[in-house]
Amino acid sequence: MNLKQQLTSLSFQPVVKAVSIEGLPTVYVRRLSWGELSQVQQLDDPRQQVCLVLCDESGQRLFSESEAAVFDGYPPEILKSILDEATSFNSLDQQVRQAKNDSGTVPSKCS
């Protein structure tokens, strides 16, 4: 198998974060693929965005975008809290900062 075939045949295990939001049981958000991040950014409906990021403990999505109406009765601040947690969890900047903190290295400045 050549390198291209190896790269295109890879699959990645879901990465999940437990989130505590007042008024909800513990919920889980998942790390999104690059394609899913793009999809979330193109959606105008926060309910559909929540459908993309909510998952069970194993990383499986709970809702499809067509099920977004399930969140019609939710207060906007709850949806915002879910999306804020998912955004933070999926932030590349956040991941880079965490990796630097974990490694104990500080980036040097180029002069």
Side-chain angles (χ1 to χ4, degrees):
M1 184 182 296
N2 68 31
L3 180 58
K4 181 178 180 178
Q5 291 168 325
Q6 290 175 11
L7 291 173
T8 57
S9 67
L10 289 175
S11 63
F12 299 93
Q13 295 298 316
V15 179
V16 176
K17 176 184 177 186
V19 177
S20 296
I21 296 173
E22 187 175 340
L24 297 180
T26 299
V27 296
Y28 300 87
V29 295
R30 62 194 185 94
R31 177 120 337 119
L32 301 176
S33 69
W34 195 256
E36 291 168 328
L37 281 171
S38 177
Q39 186 180 0
V40 164
Q41 292 170 346
Q42 293 175 16
L43 291 171
D44 291 332
D45 186 345
R47 300 169 310 155
Q48 289 181 321
Q49 293 171 336
V50 167
C51 288
L52 276 170
V53 299
L54 275 182
C55 64
D56 63 16
E57 300 90 349
S58 66
Q60 297 299 309
R61 283 180 59 182
L62 297 175
F63 304 99
S64 69
E65 294 95 305
S66 64
E67 297 175 290
V70 73
F71 298 111
D72 282 352
Y74 280 59
E77 60 271 10
I78 288 181
L79 296 182
K80 182 182 181 314
S81 294
I82 293 169
L83 292 174
D84 287 349
E85 290 287 344
T87 298
S88 174
F89 187 54
N90 280 283
S91 168
L92 293 177
D93 290 340
Q94 173 87 8
Q95 293 171 39
V96 169
R97 279 193 302 275
Q98 184 62 45
K100 287 178 185 173
N101 290 340
D102 290 347
S103 71
T105 62
V106 177
S108 62
K109 293 184 178 180
C110 297
S111 24

